[in-house]
């Protein structure tokens, strides 16, 4: 899936972190979410899964964008 196929819910891509390299939340066409953030080693996830850390304000922005 290409990034262009996702709806970006957070960030404008014009801030301090440039185009697309900030922690962000995206929504897929099927309604699922894709989260971009710093890799975390809090625990070892199951095979095929990964852990990322994103700031609370990024999640709050995503919730506002969805009108929840």
């Amino acid at each position: 899936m290409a990034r262009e196929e996702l709806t970006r819910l957070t960030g404008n891509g014009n801030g301090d972190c440039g185009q697309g390299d900030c922690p962000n939340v995206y929504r897929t066409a099927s309604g699922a979410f894709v989260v971009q953030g710093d890799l975390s080693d809090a625990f070892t996830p199951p095979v095929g899964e990964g852990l990322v850390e994103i700031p609370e304000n990024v999640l709050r922005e995503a919730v506002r964008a969805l009108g929840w």
Side-chain angles (χ1 to χ4, degrees), residues 34-55:
V34 175
V35 179
Q36 174 186 353
D38 295 326
L39 290 177
S40 175
D41 60 1
F43 63 90
T44 303
V47 174
E49 296 183 5
L51 304 176
V52 297
E53 292 183 22
I54 61 171

Side-chain angles (χ1 to χ4, degrees), residues 15-67:
D16 294 335
C17 46
Q19 294 289 331
D21 61 347
C22 301
N24 279 297
V25 178
Y26 301 86
R27 194 159 198 190
T28 68
S30 68
F33 296 94
V34 175
V35 179
Q36 174 186 353
D38 295 326
L39 290 177
S40 175
D41 60 1
F43 63 90
T44 303
V47 174
E49 296 183 5
L51 304 176
V52 297
E53 292 183 22
I54 61 171
E56 179 180 329
N57 67 308
V58 174
L59 287 179
R60 289 182 183 275
E61 185 179 351
V63 168
R64 279 193 303 273
L66 292 167

